[in-house]
């Protein structure tokens, strides 16, 4: 069982990295003609939903279970803004930044992927040669410009999975936690 784009209070990977770049002014939204110029779809998984999926998967470990040997992705499912189970990535990032008091990312000039890829390939080469790490790389451009959402139908059918935390509630609680706990530490550093 795996989540997709996990989030929640005390997240130490996704939101801290995004918000730090956002607040520092270095984050721009990436656009791609293949995904509708900044309208790439993504699904999120609240940490409680992921934990719930893991518990259900453990309970499905019995002889002749339909779950044996299968791989499942769990997300916040139909509780996302789209009933197909996705949100627009850059709208959610913009909302997170606004909640922290940062200016809207949509007010900045977007970077098209056709311009970013040559720079990213160059930086990946420099990284390979020198060991230096850059936030702009081919992997990050791919992740930030592609559609990334998944069907959870098999997890529903085989495991009885349903999200226990709605995306709306989970995202709201997560942003509130970051505003209360992360923002003060960020402001001290800047």
């Amino acid at each position: 069982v795996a989540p997709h784009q996990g989030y929640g209070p005390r997240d130490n990977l996704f939101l801290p990295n995004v918000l730090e770049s956002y607040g520092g002014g270095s984050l721009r939204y990436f656009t791609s003609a293949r995904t509708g110029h900044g309208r790439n779809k993504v699904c999120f998984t609240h940490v409680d939903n992921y934990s719930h999926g893991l518990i259900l998967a453990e309970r499905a470990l019995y002889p002749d279970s339909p779950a044996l040997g299968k791989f499942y992705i769990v997300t916040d499912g139909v509780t996302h803004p789209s009933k197909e189970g996705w949100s627009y990535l850059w709208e959610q990032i913009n909302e997170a930044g606004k909640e922290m008091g940062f200016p809207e990312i949509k007010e900045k000039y977007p970077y098209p992927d056709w311009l970013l890829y040559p720079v990213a390939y160059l930086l990946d080469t420099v990284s390979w040669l020198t060991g230096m790490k850059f936030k702009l790389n081919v992997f990050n451009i791919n992740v930030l410009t592609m559609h990334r959402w998944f069907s959870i139908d098999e997890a529903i059918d085989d495991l009885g999975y349903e999200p226990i935390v709605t995306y709306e509630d989970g995202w709201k609680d997560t942003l509130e936690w970051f505003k209360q706990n992360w923002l003060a530490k960020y402001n001290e550093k800047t």
Side-chain angles (χ1 to χ4, degrees):
V1 173
H4 186 266
Q5 198 54 73
Y7 73 97
R10 291 173 283 294
D11 170 12
N12 61 9
L13 184 62
F14 171 62
L15 272 177
N17 285 323
V18 168
L19 291 174
E20 193 167 303
S21 294
Y22 196 136
S26 64
L27 184 67
R28 300 285 194 277
Y29 71 99
F30 297 171
T31 64
S32 174
R34 64 188 152 84
T35 57
H37 297 290
R39 305 284 291 169
N40 43 314
K41 301 169 186 174
V42 66
C43 56
F44 293 89
T45 310
H46 189 274
V47 66
D48 290 352
N49 290 333
Y50 179 42
S51 299
H52 178 60
L54 290 171
I55 292 167
L56 291 173
E58 184 275 332
R59 291 179 181 164
L61 296 177
Y62 56 84
D64 300 320
S65 168
L68 295 179
K70 287 189 175 177
F71 177 78
Y72 299 96
I73 294 181
V74 294
T75 72
D76 293 351
V78 298
T79 69
H80 284 91
S82 166
K83 289 299 179 193
E84 289 82 28
W86 51 265
S87 299
Y88 287 119
L89 175 66
W90 292 105
E91 286 181 9
Q92 302 315 124
I93 290 174
N94 190 59
E95 181 183 345
K98 285 189 339 185
E99 187 69 25
M100 299 305 125
F102 303 148
E104 290 203 39
I105 198 167
K106 297 282 183 163
E107 293 176 1
K108 298 179 177 182
Y109 183 78
Y111 292 154
D113 62 351
W114 59 263
L115 176 66
L116 292 172
Y117 275 115
V119 175
Y121 278 110
L122 175 64
L123 291 175
D124 279 355
T125 303
V126 170
S127 180
W128 179 75
L129 292 170
T130 66
M132 295 173 59
K133 299 293 179 196
F134 300 96
K135 286 188 178 186
L136 180 61
N137 56 55
V138 173
F139 175 80
N140 284 343
I141 294 170
N142 285 335
V143 167
L144 293 172
T145 60
M146 67 171 39
H147 293 305
R148 298 180 291 128
W149 88 94
F150 301 90
S151 169
I152 61 171
D153 291 345
E154 285 192 12
I156 292 169
D157 294 342
D158 294 351
L159 305 177
Y161 174 78
E162 291 290 336
I164 58 173
V165 175
T166 66
Y167 178 73
E168 181 180 351
D169 290 343
W171 191 245
K172 178 182 169 191
D173 290 346
T174 298
L175 294 183
E176 185 60 34
W177 186 91
F178 271 82
K179 192 173 183 180
Q180 297 290 323
N181 298 279
W182 176 87
L183 190 56
K185 293 176 187 172
Y186 171 79
N187 286 336
E188 285 176 12
K189 289 191 301 187
T190 57

